[in-house]
Amino acid sequence: MWRRARERFGSTGLWPFITHTPPTEWEWADEGGDNRDEERRQPIVDSLIELQVNDLLTEAQWFRGPQVNPTPARDLEDLVRRLADTTPAAGTRAPRSAQSLLATCFVEPPEWICLVSTEDPSGLPELLDAPFTPNHTPFPGGEELSYRDHASVLRAWHDRYGAEICYLDAHEVMLSVEHPPAAPLETARVAIEHYAYCPDLDQVIGGLPDVALQVPTRTWFFWWD
């Protein structure tokens, strides 16, 4: 049903998204965006990686168990190479399904499809003040991701991979991805982006090698505690 509504977006201007939250309970932002500087409209994925680089490099010591690579990666390129070598080839190990991931967060399946008038579907976080991620504080001073930051990340992935919001709720985002990366090194780089954007994936999907499994698929899932 979402895809049928998505196909009509060009003529209706109404972007559909699936959700567990009834339409009457969504809180529209008073104004688009937030108090961040206008320069934050530029993609911030690289900044998120840079700010969390030490934690990301440390993840490498757990690839295939600590006995294989017991030390953190030397730098991001080393992390990319080691992650690409660790991640199973496409088709040899299936990632968790979207239904399974949502079931981790909700007892019942979603019942609503909302339609939002917008010219920029990736900007829905700025319009709807969602997802709310107060525990992810990668910026100096413990500053959390803003709704504009979320929109910036999603715009970057839309431009590169055709990623579009198909599910949105208070702490969850699911993207339908038109042309996800397939090459091992690019898959590894994008998995690092996913993990920097949403470190809580370790609670619902697993570590970086597990996150890398969802990158070549047509569905990307994110959840924040």
Side-chain angles (χ1 to χ4, degrees):
M1 185 176 294
W2 176 82
R3 294 194 180 281
R4 291 199 297 271
R6 164 66 183 90
E7 291 171 357
R8 296 183 175 91
F9 172 66
S11 58
T12 66
L14 299 174
W15 187 261
F17 67 92
I18 302 167
T19 184
H20 280 81
T21 301
T24 55
E25 295 184 14
W26 282 99
E27 295 185 8
W28 288 74
D30 294 333
E31 297 179 4
D34 49 46
N35 293 326
R36 288 203 187 280
D37 294 338
E38 189 68 19
E39 66 184 21
R40 279 289 179 85
R41 284 199 174 277
Q42 299 301 315
I44 64 162
V45 175
D46 290 344
S47 296
L48 291 175
I49 292 174
E50 181 180 349
L51 288 165
Q52 300 169 90
V53 65
N54 290 333
D55 291 337
L56 291 166
L57 297 180
T58 301
E59 284 292 314
Q61 67 185 323
W62 304 110
F63 293 174
R64 289 181 181 161
Q67 72 278 6
V68 176
N69 284 309
T71 59
R74 295 186 302 274
D75 52 34
L76 284 173
E77 284 306 307
D78 184 40
L79 179 63
V80 168
R81 287 191 297 270
R82 285 165 63 169
L83 180 56
D85 290 341
T86 300
T87 304
T92 61
R93 179 181 165 195
R96 291 182 61 185
S97 67
Q99 293 81 0
S100 171
L101 291 167
L102 282 178
T104 303
C105 309
F106 299 94
V107 175
E108 300 294 336
E111 297 181 345
W112 299 94
I113 292 185
C114 296
L115 300 173
V116 178
S117 177
T118 180
E119 296 179 356
D120 177 24
S122 297
L124 287 185
E126 295 183 87
L127 291 176
L128 299 172
D129 284 355
F132 182 53
T133 58
N135 295 325
H136 185 22
T137 55
F139 299 107
E143 189 178 1
E144 67 193 61
L145 282 179
S146 73
Y147 300 120
R148 178 168 293 178
D149 294 330
H150 283 286
S152 177
V153 172
L154 300 183
R155 287 188 187 104
W157 287 338
H158 175 267
D159 292 345
R160 290 158 58 195
Y161 304 112
E164 300 175 330
I165 295 174
C166 61
Y167 177 94
L168 180 64
D169 217 286
H171 303 282
E172 302 83 13
V173 176
M174 188 178 294
L175 305 178
S176 174
V177 189
E178 183 178 0
H179 43 86
L185 289 177
E186 185 179 8
T187 295
R189 290 189 179 93
V190 176
I192 293 168
E193 293 180 6
H194 283 202
Y195 210 69
Y197 174 54
C198 183
D200 288 341
L201 287 176
D202 65 352
Q203 299 182 49
V204 291
I205 293 180
L208 268 173
D210 300 296
V211 173
L213 291 176
Q214 83 164 349
V215 174
T217 73
R218 300 289 297 272
T219 304
W220 294 352
F221 178 82
F222 303 94
W223 170 87
W224 293 263
D225 195 358

